[in-house]
Amino acid sequence: MAKWSSLGTWELIARIVLRNKILMLILVAVITALLIGQWKHIRFSYTEANLLPADDPTNIEYNAFLDRFGEEGNLIVIGLKDSTLFTPKIFRSWTKLMTNIQADKNVDLVVDIHNLKKLQKNDSLQTFELAEFTDISKTQDPAYLKSLQTQLLNDLPFYEGLLFNKKSGTVRAAVYLDKKIVNTLARKDFVLKKLVPAIADFEKETGIKPKVSGMPYIRTLSAETIKKEIGLFIGASLLVTSLLFFFFFRSVRATAISVLIVVIGVLWSFGFLGLFNYQITVLTGMVPALVIVIGIPNCIFLTNKYHQEYFVHRNKAKALQRVTTKIGMATFMTNVTTAIGFATFITSNNKLLIEFGNVTAVNILGLFFLALVLIPICHSYIPAPKPRHLRHLERGSVKGFMDWILDTVKHKRFSIYVIAIGLMVIALLGISQMRISGSLIEDMPKKTPFFKDIVFFEQEFDGVMPLEIMIDCKHPKGILKLSTLHKMEEFEKEINEIPELSKPVSVVSLVKYSKQAYYNGNPDYFELPTSQEQSFILSYAKNATKGGKQNLMKSYVDSTGRFARITAFMRDENGEQIPAIEKRIKTEAEKIFPKERFNVIVTGRSLVFQKGTGYLLDNLLSSLLFAFALTGLLVAFMFRSFKMVLVSLIPNMLPLLLTAGLMGFLDIPLKPSTILVFGIAFGMSVDDTLRFLAQYREELKRNNWRIRRSVYATFSDAGLSMFYTSIVLFFGFSVFMLSDFGGTVALGGLVSLTLLCGMLSNLMLLPALVLTLNKSLINEQEMKPSLIDIAEHTDEEIENLPNHKDLK
């Protein structure tokens, strides 16, 4: 017992692992089995990510709008830009397509040319009623279809911009899904098993491919793409990292052990998703591949140390023992800092990011446990490394590169500082050119057919991004007063002057259509009633406001008659202009609607997304500062030195600045995907810093606190592993560039670039700063060991430590 109590922490852990190998393997197997049992709870997300917290004013206003007018994301549009639509054969196939879609139980309503309703007056009931626009019995007559096309484009201005484009002749159908299924599995089943096959049948019959879009359709196909990419990322990252591992170590057995560890890590990652009851989203779907990319560097560090120790004394048992004893603490610190880097997303107050940060952080700590246990145990069961396995320690090209870096650090530190400052100045110039993106579709897979369809509808109907304006007249049935309608018409004219927005649609258009219907459908009367006409025309309109799917009024006015909506659309390319558009709309609203009588709210999915991006930027910057602070605290705990805190942060700030500057020069905007780059890259890059400093701390104790000798010893011991792991991380994150999603491509490419810069910064700038500050650090006696360290030294050893009198 006395013998065990005299051991250091990591030496004790090493002995426990190696002397209880079977027990440890059983423990890993039991944990794995339990987590696999949690897979049954895994499910894909069928809801749209909201970047704003639930209590944000913008979210509250948007939810209030949805409460009044219902889910706005239940619309699917199907369009054709082909004049042959109004020929008997094509029209028959089109009608068949729409009829089949309408017959599905998940479809609430289909509005299309074949079943289009037009308003007509019923004098006997003093109301308007909806009559069939198309006489199906005549649709085999080409002349009738031609006249139908002419009548649609010229006599129904109410539907212009909704169902047709008068200039190009493009016609589209609107399919409204049951709002209850929009965020459920039933939506996916409808799109993939009903809609897509029906569209394919139409294309096969006619040779014409319809264009399809709408949030339910886009979200479903995006989710299917994410599913496919999860397997792609896992396979590609496992292949790339295992090949690199084999290239470095030339050992099939060592590679197999590392692959086994990360495969178990992947199994655990799915288990943790099920255990935490998290859904698979575009972010959490990346976690299994991240486990592989992050897990292999752990294996490299431990395996490389094992080879280094075995190369020195050719004793396998002793080498395996020293792997944990010598770099256990350094590896633990680096894994903790990586986990902290991801865990800082918790401070974002965003559900999507919190789940991603939580599950990734837990998996990183799980990977550390697996590597710490399985690498010594598995290597104890296989033969010792052969000479060819150890040649990487003296490989000419790599050794020459590392010797050049060390020589530069020793003799050309001033040049390192000049280059670093120059790069920082260039980076700051690039940062000044950065912009924030408000695009909803910029990160969607551009190579897919559904993205091309989105672009089609953007061009034909002046955008797909909805901007909603809700008007509260503060008393029931006030919206249909003629004075209110005139104010809304004046307001719509001002909105129409905003070039980024499409023609607005509201109850004003419906009342104008009512007057047109009152005058027997004459398009010249598509205008608001006069004061003399209002009594009978508005009474007709109010009598027509009744329940049922064909009630047009309920789409624009709530059941109380107090709230109205105005809908406009904007092109995705104008997303960055949303703040200016919102300001202009509110300014015009204040002029037209007195505040004491009206309340005007600007909302809609596009506005929520744009503000969510800004919110995410603010919070992730806070998270990054939090990660800096935690890293600084860890370094302060190790060295009791504020200067060492600066030494640890500067080499990691430079790569982040360079990446931000490059984004500015290349016009890569800040958006949800690229904002994540900085938090992830810092969490990974600071690994090397903490690993170097933790190893340096151990070398200080071994070298009697001689800084120069300790820095060189640390570089020789950890430098090669830092190089290996950085290369693996670079290529590992590059795997994400195989994605069809622009955001994932940007994330993979920018993180890879940042980590490459981080490697050079940690190998050159970090040791240079330590050496430059060594004299002041010694003179000011800032290298004070902690009480834990003191307890591990004998009295004789304490005599040789700095401040030994104070320590006694």
Side-chain angles (χ1 to χ4, degrees):
M1 184 68 183
K3 180 179 178 182
W4 282 78
S5 62
S6 66
L7 297 175
T9 302
W10 294 101
E11 187 176 356
L12 178 62
I13 292 173
R15 290 199 180 191
I16 290 174
V17 170
L18 290 171
R19 293 187 180 185
N20 300 275
K21 291 183 283 190
I22 301 298
L23 182 62
M24 289 294 171
L25 292 176
I26 292 174
L27 177 62
V28 170
V30 169
I31 294 174
T32 303
L34 291 174
L35 288 174
I36 288 176
Q38 297 298 316
W39 288 9
K40 60 188 176 184
H41 301 300
I42 296 175
R43 61 194 189 282
F44 280 84
S45 172
Y46 298 104
T47 59
E48 188 176 8
N50 191 333
L51 301 178
L52 289 172
D55 58 353
D56 187 90
T58 301
N59 239 353
I60 293 173
E61 291 177 350
Y62 181 61
N63 289 329
F65 168 80
L66 294 181
D67 289 340
R68 297 288 177 187
F69 297 100
E71 172 66 49
E72 63 169 342
N74 67 326
L75 172 65
I76 296 176
V77 289
I78 306 171
L80 276 184
K81 188 179 181 179
D82 197 308
S83 59
T84 60
L85 172 63
F86 291 93
T87 58
K89 179 183 176 183
I90 306 300
F91 194 88
R92 183 172 62 251
S93 296
W94 181 259
T95 301
K96 176 184 174 183
L97 170 65
M98 294 301 145
T99 303
N100 288 340
I101 293 174
Q102 176 69 74
D104 192 276
K105 64 180 182 180
N106 295 309
V107 175
D108 193 34
L109 177 67
V110 173
V111 180
D112 172 57
I113 180 68
H114 91 283
N115 68 350
L116 188 64
K117 303 295 187 294
K118 61 180 180 179
L119 276 181
Q120 65 180 26
K121 66 177 180 177
N122 185 324
D123 290 324
S124 61
L125 298 177
Q126 291 191 341
T127 186
F128 293 116
E129 57 188 15
L130 292 170
E132 296 293 340
F133 175 69
T134 304
D135 186 346
I136 297 297
S137 63
K138 298 181 180 179
T139 54
Q140 295 305 309
D141 181 1
Y144 172 74
L145 290 177
K146 187 66 177 176
S147 66
L148 194 71
Q149 180 184 23
T150 302
Q151 188 179 356
L152 174 70
L153 299 180
N154 297 318
D155 296 345
L156 295 176
F158 174 73
Y159 289 110
E160 184 177 356
L162 295 175
L163 293 183
F164 65 86
N165 181 329
K166 187 174 181 178
K167 293 180 180 178
S168 66
T170 300
V171 176
R172 68 178 179 181
V175 179
Y176 293 91
L177 300 185
D178 184 347
K179 294 173 182 177
K180 296 177 182 177
I181 74 155
V182 170
N183 295 320
T184 68
L185 181 62
R187 183 203 75 213
K188 169 198 164 188
D189 291 339
F190 167 77
V191 171
L192 298 181
K193 297 179 182 179
K194 181 70 177 182
L195 180 64
V196 171
I199 296 293
D201 290 343
F202 176 84
E203 184 179 1
K204 185 177 179 180
E205 287 179 12
T206 64
I208 302 172
K209 182 174 176 59
K211 306 294 185 180
V212 187
S213 193
M215 290 311 297
Y217 181 77
I218 293 170
R219 286 162 59 187
T220 300
L221 296 192
S222 293
E224 290 304 299
T225 305
I226 292 172
K227 283 184 183 179
K228 295 175 184 176
E229 290 191 349
I230 290 176
L232 172 66
F233 291 154
I234 292 174
S237 57
L238 190 60
L239 177 65
V240 168
T241 54
S242 58
L243 286 177
L244 286 170
F245 189 97
F246 179 78
F247 175 77
F248 292 146
F249 295 101
R250 299 293 200 275
S251 171
V252 174
R253 292 190 182 98
T255 303
I257 291 170
S258 298
V259 170
L260 172 66
I261 289 170
V262 296
V263 167
I264 294 175
V266 169
L267 300 179
W268 284 21
S269 69
F270 284 112
F272 283 124
L273 282 171
L275 180 65
F276 297 155
N277 203 28
Y278 289 166
Q279 296 179 343
I280 294 180
T281 64
V282 68
L283 284 181
T284 55
M286 295 167 55
V287 171
L290 281 174
V291 165
I292 296 173
V293 174
I294 297 171
I296 288 291
N298 273 341
C299 299
I300 287 176
F301 256 97
L302 296 173
T303 304
N304 189 62
K305 184 60 180 175
Y306 169 52
H307 284 186
Q308 287 176 334
E309 290 293 329
Y310 184 80
F311 183 79
V312 173
H313 46 67
R314 305 290 171 169
N315 185 324
K316 187 174 82 168
K318 186 177 180 181
L320 290 173
Q321 173 84 13
R322 288 191 172 183
V323 167
T324 304
T325 303
K326 286 194 172 183
I327 65 169
M329 182 61 179
T331 308
F332 173 72
M333 292 292 290
T334 54
N335 279 271
V336 167
T337 52
T338 304
I340 287 173
F342 284 96
T344 53
F345 291 138
I346 296 171
T347 63
S348 68
N349 198 25
N350 176 268
K351 184 174 182 286
L352 194 70
L353 287 174
I354 289 172
E355 291 182 356
F356 174 65
N358 281 341
V359 75
T360 308
V362 170
N363 275 291
I364 289 169
L365 297 178
L367 280 171
F368 169 72
F369 170 76
L370 287 172
L372 191 71
V373 170
L374 294 183
I375 284 184
I377 291 177
C378 291
H379 278 283
S380 71
Y381 285 115
I382 65 176
K386 296 179 180 179
R388 72 171 184 272
H389 301 148
L390 305 176
R391 287 177 192 156
H392 69 93
L393 299 173
E394 298 181 306
R395 193 171 293 149
S397 57
V398 177
K399 188 174 184 299
F401 176 68
M402 300 303 292
D403 288 344
W404 173 78
I405 290 178
L406 184 58
D407 181 71
T408 304
V409 170
K410 285 181 178 180
H411 307 295
K412 300 177 182 178
R413 291 197 291 275
F414 181 75
S415 299
I416 293 175
Y417 300 145
V418 170
I419 293 173
I421 293 172
L423 290 173
M424 189 175 295
V425 171
I426 295 173
L428 292 174
L429 291 175
I431 291 172
S432 66
Q433 301 178 36
M434 292 182 74
R435 61 184 178 88
I436 299 176
S437 171
S439 172
L440 271 170
I441 67 172
E442 186 173 19
D443 283 345
M444 288 185 180
K446 293 182 173 57
K447 298 178 183 178
T448 56
F450 75 81
F451 182 84
K452 296 176 182 177
D453 289 354
I454 293 173
V455 175
F456 169 82
F457 285 106
E458 280 240 316
Q459 294 172 345
E460 292 295 324
F461 294 94
D462 289 328
V464 295
M465 294 174 63
L467 190 69
E468 301 283 357
I469 303 167
M470 186 167 71
I471 298 174
D472 175 10
C473 67
K474 298 186 178 181
H475 58 275
K477 299 182 181 180
I479 289 296
L480 288 179
K481 286 186 175 181
L482 190 58
S483 59
T484 303
L485 292 172
H486 277 294
K487 288 181 182 297
M488 291 179 64
E489 181 184 37
E490 182 184 353
F491 188 44
E492 288 183 17
K493 288 179 181 178
E494 297 298 333
I495 293 174
N496 212 27
E497 293 297 316
I498 301 176
E500 293 86 0
L501 297 181
S502 69
K503 170 187 164 185
V505 180
S506 72
V507 66
V508 172
S509 302
L510 184 57
V511 173
K512 289 179 178 180
Y513 188 25
S514 300
K515 179 174 179 177
Q516 178 187 352
Y518 187 84
Y519 287 100
N520 300 315
N522 187 339
D524 293 336
Y525 289 94
F526 187 75
E527 60 187 11
L528 286 177
T530 63
S531 56
Q532 291 79 20
E533 296 168 328
Q534 65 169 319
S535 59
F536 50 90
I537 290 181
L538 288 181
S539 67
Y540 271 59
K542 290 175 182 177
N543 290 335
T545 306
K546 57 187 178 181
K549 295 180 180 179
Q550 294 183 343
N551 178 13
L552 295 176
M553 187 74 74
K554 70 178 183 180
S555 297
Y556 303 103
V557 181
D558 81 316
S559 58
T560 67
R562 172 178 168 176
F563 295 89
R565 73 189 286 188
I566 299 175
T567 303
F569 291 89
M570 62 188 303
R571 292 180 183 270
D572 186 70
E573 64 194 27
N574 294 321
E576 296 174 22
Q577 305 299 321
I578 287 179
I581 293 171
E582 180 189 16
K583 182 179 179 181
R584 182 171 175 181
I585 290 174
K586 287 184 174 181
T587 301
E588 296 299 333
E590 289 175 1
K591 294 178 182 177
I592 297 171
F593 298 100
K595 285 187 177 181
E596 63 273 9
R597 292 170 51 202
F598 296 92
N599 184 33
V600 179
I601 294 173
V602 182
T603 185
R605 181 172 280 108
S606 55
L607 182 72
V608 171
F609 180 83
Q610 199 277 336
K611 291 199 172 184
T613 302
Y615 175 85
L616 189 64
L617 175 60
D618 293 339
N619 278 270
L620 286 183
L621 286 176
S622 300
S623 298
L624 196 58
L625 292 175
F626 184 58
F628 282 154
L630 287 178
T631 303
L633 287 174
L634 285 172
V635 175
F637 174 77
M638 286 193 294
F639 293 98
R640 306 294 194 272
S641 167
F642 176 71
K643 290 183 180 179
M644 286 301 292
V645 172
L646 293 178
V647 166
S648 68
L649 294 179
I650 291 173
N652 290 289
M653 292 175 64
L654 181 59
L656 298 181
L657 291 174
L658 289 174
T659 300
L662 186 65
M663 288 173 63
F665 287 127
L666 298 181
D667 196 32
I668 300 174
L670 282 170
K671 50 189 177 180
S673 54
T674 54
I675 291 171
L676 291 174
V677 167
F678 301 98
I680 294 175
F682 177 78
M684 303 298 300
S685 178
V686 80
D687 267 12
D688 283 343
T689 304
L690 268 293
R691 185 172 275 120
F692 186 95
L693 293 178
Q695 186 71 21
Y696 168 59
R697 181 172 176 266
E698 297 300 316
E699 294 295 338
L700 281 173
K701 290 187 286 187
R702 295 191 188 103
N703 291 284
N704 201 26
W705 300 89
R706 295 179 182 175
I707 293 176
R708 188 179 300 275
R709 181 184 296 180
S710 298
V711 169
Y712 298 157
T714 302
F715 188 91
S716 299
D717 200 34
L720 185 62
S721 294
M722 290 167 63
F723 173 75
Y724 284 169
T725 54
S726 296
I727 295 299
V728 169
L729 289 171
F730 174 80
F731 285 102
F733 274 96
S734 296
V735 163
F736 292 113
M737 297 179 70
L738 297 174
S739 174
D740 287 331
F741 290 89
T744 309
V745 172
L747 180 69
L750 291 172
V751 170
S752 297
L753 178 65
T754 308
L755 292 176
L756 187 63
C757 295
M759 176 194 74
L760 295 174
S761 183
N762 280 309
L763 285 177
M764 301 182 77
L765 185 57
L766 176 61
L769 288 170
V770 174
L771 287 171
T772 299
L773 293 174
N774 65 18
K775 187 177 293 184
S776 60
L777 288 171
I778 292 173
N779 291 340
E780 297 177 21
Q781 299 181 339
E782 291 182 352
M783 285 292 188
K784 297 178 182 178
S786 68
L787 294 176
I788 294 174
D789 298 326
I790 297 167
E792 295 177 356
H793 289 281
T794 64
D795 288 341
E796 183 179 351
E797 290 173 327
I798 292 176
E799 290 285 351
N800 296 320
L801 296 176
N803 301 324
H804 62 89
K805 293 181 181 179
D806 295 335
L807 293 175
K808 285 186 175 181

